[in-house]
Each structure stands twice: as C-alpha cells, then as structure tokens.
Amino acid sequence: MHGFPDDNTSLAELAQIVLDYSKERLELDPVPLDGPRTLAQLEATAGQTVTAAGLGGHAAMDLFAEVLAPACLSVDHPRYLSFIPCAPTEAAAMFDLVVGASSIYAGSWLEGSGAVYAENQALRWISDLIGLPAEAGGVFVPGGTIGNLSALVAARTEARRTAAEGQRPFRVATTRGAHSSIQSACDVMDAELTTVEPDERGRLTGERLREVLLEGGPETYFAVVATAGTTNFGIIDDLASVAEVCRELGIWFHVDGAYGGAGLAAPSVRHLYAGIEHCDSFIVDPHKWLFAPFDCCALIYRNPAAARNAHTQRAGYLDVLTAATDWNPTDYSVGLTRRARGLPFWFSLATHGTEAYTTAVEGTLDVASFAEAEIHRREELELVGERFLSVVVFRRIGWTAADYAAWSDRILEEEFAFVVPTNHEGETLARFAIVNPQTTTADIAAILDSMV
Ligand SMILES: Cc1ncc(COP(=O)(O)O)c(C=O)c1O
C-alpha cells in the first residue's frame, strides 16, 4: 500500500493529480461557493466509497473533485460572511501540503526542532504585538476552544498551587458576550462560570468585575476571561480596567482574541486593546483573521512555566523528553501528539512579511467601515450595536425571522453568498464577519441590494 503497487495509477501520476488539483483550486478566481447536499443526494452520487478492494487513487480523486468537494462550502469565498470565515493566503494553503508530506512530529524539540523554532518565531510576532516579555511563549493548538480550555487549566493549576491553605479556587468570571467555548471549558473542568453584566457598549469593565469578585470572594476565582473581539459583535472588553482588577486581586487574566486578536496588527484599532499587555494568557486563531488554513490557534502565556506545570504528561516512555529542558510545545496545552499546525501560518508570514498582514487586516476593516456607512445610507437598514472591528450587525427593518431565513436560504441556493442570520436578545438580525481581504465593497453592496 505504501507505494500503491496494486494501483494502475503510479505514485508519480497520482502525485501530479493531487498537486494539479491543489494548484488549480488555489488559482480559481472566483472560487465557487458550492453548497450542501442531502445525505440521500450524496448516497446517490458518491455511493459506497470505502470498499474491500479500494477505488484506486485516480477514481477516489475524481470522486472528491466532482462530487464531494462541490458539497462543501468554500469558506474563502469573498461573499462567505457567516460565523467567522477562513481565507488563507495561497502561501499558507500551499504549505499545508508540505506539512502533510513531511511527516514531522512537532510535539517535542527532540523530534521537531526546526518546525518548533519556526512556530515559535510566529508566536513571538504575536507576543510582540501584545507587548509580552521575552520569556512569554506557547503553542499552536487546533482552535480557540482548545486554546481557552488549555489556558484555563493552566490558570486553575497555578491558582491552586499558590492558594492559601484550605482554598480551592473553582470559579471563572467573564461577561455575556464571551464565546460559548468558555462555558464549555468550565463544563469540562467542572468549574463555575460567573457572568458579569456588561456596560452600555457591551464591554466587561473593571468596575463591575470588581463588585462581582468581591461579592463572591476573590479567593474562589482562578481566572477572569476578557474577550478582544466577541464573535457576535466584535466587542473588545475594557482590557485595561479588567487587568487592573485582576492584578489587584491576584487573579489570572486570560484574553480570548480568537477572532479579534488579529486587530492587534492594525494601527487604526490598536488603541482598543490597551491593557492587553498585562494578560497572563492569550489566544488568537490565525485560521480566522490571520489568513492561515484550519486548524490553527496561537496560545501564549506570560509565564510558560505555569502552563508546563499544568500540562506536561508524564510516563516512562516520555522521560527522555520530559527530563530535557528543551521547549516541547506539547507541554503547554491539552493533548500530546501534534502536527506542526503553525507552519502554514509561519510560512506565509516568512514569505510576505508582517507589514503585508497589517495591510490586509486594515483592508478588511476598511470594507467593514464601508458596510457600516452603506447601512446608515439605506433607509431599510439599521446598524445594531457599535462596530468595533470587522463584524457588522444590522437589522432589515420590517423583516421577521422567517424573512431573514428565506433570504439567507435563497442567496445560498443561488450560490451568490453565504450570510446566515444571528440572534441578539431574542431578535433575528443580519451579520457580516469580514475577514477575507478578497471581499470587496462591491460584494457588500451587492449583498445589501439583495435585501430590498
Ligand atoms: C471569541 C472566540 N473564542 C473562541 C472561539 C472558538 O474557536 P474555535 O472555533 O477555533 O474552537 C471562537 C470561534 O469563533 C471565537 O470567536
């Protein structure tokens, strides 16, 4: 099997087919939006794909190209504005192929020092954007959910290690706009989540946080989670005042920048993140707004030793790794085996340079600003909430939830755009998440035109 001896397609031919497909996909302009198929449709068209004798590489590739791939939405389509899209640079996407072909184990320095070195330089760029000290460091994990969980596990371990006799901190404080993965992490950890009322701009503030922490007893909390760019609205909490309260009460300050952390690279919005330099841990998903393919979350700690203490797995067969003082990425998160998932991001950064990232993020902010202005200009539309970053939420005056759903279904059916409605305090609304530098102002105008 390793070499396809029983296949008519030689390894070299199959390699060419796979590379040609990948190259053509990357060169497509525009990419097709494509769309979901029903199970019955896929059963009818793809049929049974796993068979005792195998289909052969050529046939399996044809099946993917002609049946399976068109049944998957292109998350890099410029009019895919739902959830948080993913628009990798061509360099990053190409390098994913290289990572796959290279059989690198990136959990330890011993096995993957070259990859770990490069990943750490990419993490350093992010640490510098935050303003973290030279000792800061971390690891690329699959996504924000695992990043938040890993940071909270490190925070709890550290809080319990340093707690007064008889104390076992078990609570996390955050605000309503925090991502669902914070609740999920607390559920996994059997921790209690306290929700602090946001201010009138939707932000977690130090003042309200202090009241809640003092009321519940600061010694019962092991972490505060602030969000730098909430998923639904892009709101950035008042990080400076939250940091101050965390410092005053000795509580770990985690910042979830899974979506919005990328804005640190944009001078026009950098002031919104003031205070972030005090965080104890931070995440940003390069697979969201930093143009890396799935699955890539950068998790960074101010004091990596605390995370290592929480996450290092110990077993006889691992002694050779854990006894060394090397930087082993696996020691900084939940999980052991890891692919070098930060390398596609690193390759693109190394190829294009960080200034290109600043330009690209600023470009998406300009398009979001255009969307906001268009919404103000059109009398049937109304902006909801304040726009902090590149998420724009708005109301189509007079529409019911069913109207939003019908519109969203229709534009997807036409393979024109993918924009699902969101919900805020019981009201259905439209929402754009603009993280793709190839989304143009003309795309935005055309989608708004479709809402008349
Ligand atoms: C603010 C925030 N945190 C965490 C997550 C979870 O990230 P992931 O989907 O990569 O697990 C998201 C996802 O959208 C997010 O927007």
Side-chain angles (χ1 to χ4, degrees), residues 357-392:
Y357 278 71
T358 293
T359 305
V361 173
E362 290 285 10
T364 54
L365 286 166
D366 287 346
V367 174
S369 164
F370 170 84
E372 181 180 357
E374 275 297 290
I375 289 161
H376 282 309
R377 199 181 64 74
R378 295 172 186 237
E379 56 189 31
E380 74 280 10
L381 303 178
E382 194 170 61
L383 192 75
V384 178
E386 174 185 341
R387 180 181 68 83
F388 284 69
L389 296 169
S390 68
V391 171
V392 187

Side-chain angles (χ1 to χ4, degrees), residues 84 143-145 148 179 181 227 229 231 256 258-259 283 285 287-288:
I84 307 283
T145 300
N148 284 330
H179 189 260
S181 57
T227 312
T231 324
D256 177 357
Y259 148 65
I283 64 158
D285 281 354
H287 70 216
K288 290 186 165 59

Side-chain angles (χ1 to χ4, degrees), residues 86-443:
C86 172
T89 63
E90 277 64 23
M94 277 186 244
F95 207 74
D96 222 17
L97 286 180
V98 175
V99 173
S102 300
S103 292
I104 294 168
Y105 175 70
S108 75
W109 186 268
L110 174 70
E111 293 150 284
S113 59
V116 176
Y117 174 84
E119 285 190 326
N120 284 353
Q121 289 209 336
L123 290 172
R124 187 63 244 170
W125 175 58
I126 297 169
S127 300
D128 285 341
L129 290 176
I130 300 168
L132 285 173
E135 318 80 75
V139 56
F140 286 99
V141 295
T145 300
I146 299 296
N148 284 330
L149 173 64
S150 299
L152 290 177
V153 167
R156 185 172 67 180
T157 304
E158 187 62 5
R160 290 188 177 173
R161 189 182 71 77
T162 54
E165 178 104 12
Q167 302 287 355
R168 268 177 80 75
F170 63 97
R171 285 185 168 136
V172 175
T174 191
T175 195
R176 255 206 319 266
H179 189 260
S180 48
S181 57
I182 303 301
Q183 179 67 62
S184 160
C186 288
D187 292 346
V188 169
M189 297 170 69
D190 193 20
E192 194 177 291
L193 188 63
T194 307
T195 309
V196 182
E197 268 304 296
D199 70 0
E200 62 292 344
R201 297 174 67 194
R203 304 177 311 160
L204 174 65
T205 63
E207 199 184 335
R208 293 188 187 184
L209 175 67
R210 183 186 282 107
E211 280 169 22
V212 169
L213 295 178
L214 292 178
E215 194 184 298
E219 69 287 352
T220 63
Y221 286 87
F222 63 82
V224 168
V225 178
T227 312
T230 60
T231 324
N232 214 14
F233 279 86
I235 296 164
I236 302 179
D237 289 334
D238 182 9
L239 303 177
S241 69
V242 171
E244 201 181 307
V245 171
C246 289
R247 238 174 336 170
E248 176 192 322
L249 301 177
I251 301 174
W252 183 289
F253 174 36
H254 174 64
V255 177
D256 177 357
Y259 148 65
L264 287 164
S268 68
V269 290
R270 180 60 181 82
H271 61 281
L272 298 173
Y273 301 81
I276 197 167
E277 64 279 9
H278 300 299
C279 71
D280 292 297
S281 54
F282 170 83
I283 64 158
V284 60
D285 281 354
H287 70 216
K288 290 186 165 59
W289 196 10
L290 284 175
F291 324 121
F294 299 136
D295 52 0
C296 186
C297 167
L299 161 63
I300 301 175
Y301 302 94
R302 168 181 300 278
N303 171 18
R308 199 165 58 238
N309 181 42
H311 288 294
T312 301
Q313 294 192 24
R314 297 184 192 282
Y317 81 101
L318 296 173
D319 279 354
V320 64
L321 302 178
T322 45
T325 54
D326 297 330
W327 187 273
N328 294 324
T330 199
D331 289 345
Y332 300 95
S333 69
V334 173
L336 183 64
T337 298
R338 67 178 295 272
R339 85 192 291 259
R341 63 170 60 83
L343 282 189
F345 174 54
W346 161 80
F347 183 71
S348 182
L349 264 180
T351 299
H352 295 295
T354 59
E355 284 171 11
Y357 278 71
T358 293
T359 305
V361 173
E362 290 285 10
T364 54
L365 286 166
D366 287 346
V367 174
S369 164
F370 170 84
E372 181 180 357
E374 275 297 290
I375 289 161
H376 282 309
R377 199 181 64 74
R378 295 172 186 237
E379 56 189 31
E380 74 280 10
L381 303 178
E382 194 170 61
L383 192 75
V384 178
E386 174 185 341
R387 180 181 68 83
F388 284 69
L389 296 169
S390 68
V391 171
V392 187
V393 181
F394 58 104
R395 179 180 293 122
R396 168 62 173 84
I397 295 164
W399 273 14
T400 63
D403 292 324
Y404 284 100
W407 161 74
S408 176
D409 290 349
R410 175 172 62 78
I411 58 177
L412 175 59
E413 180 82 14
E414 291 165 356
E415 293 196 29
F416 167 66
F418 182 56
V419 188
V420 295
T422 189
N423 193 289
H424 176 61
E425 295 179 348
E427 183 183 0
T428 301
L429 298 163
R431 171 180 171 278
F432 292 162
I434 303 166
V435 299
N436 185 342
Q438 293 191 304
T439 301
T440 62
T441 54
D443 289 320

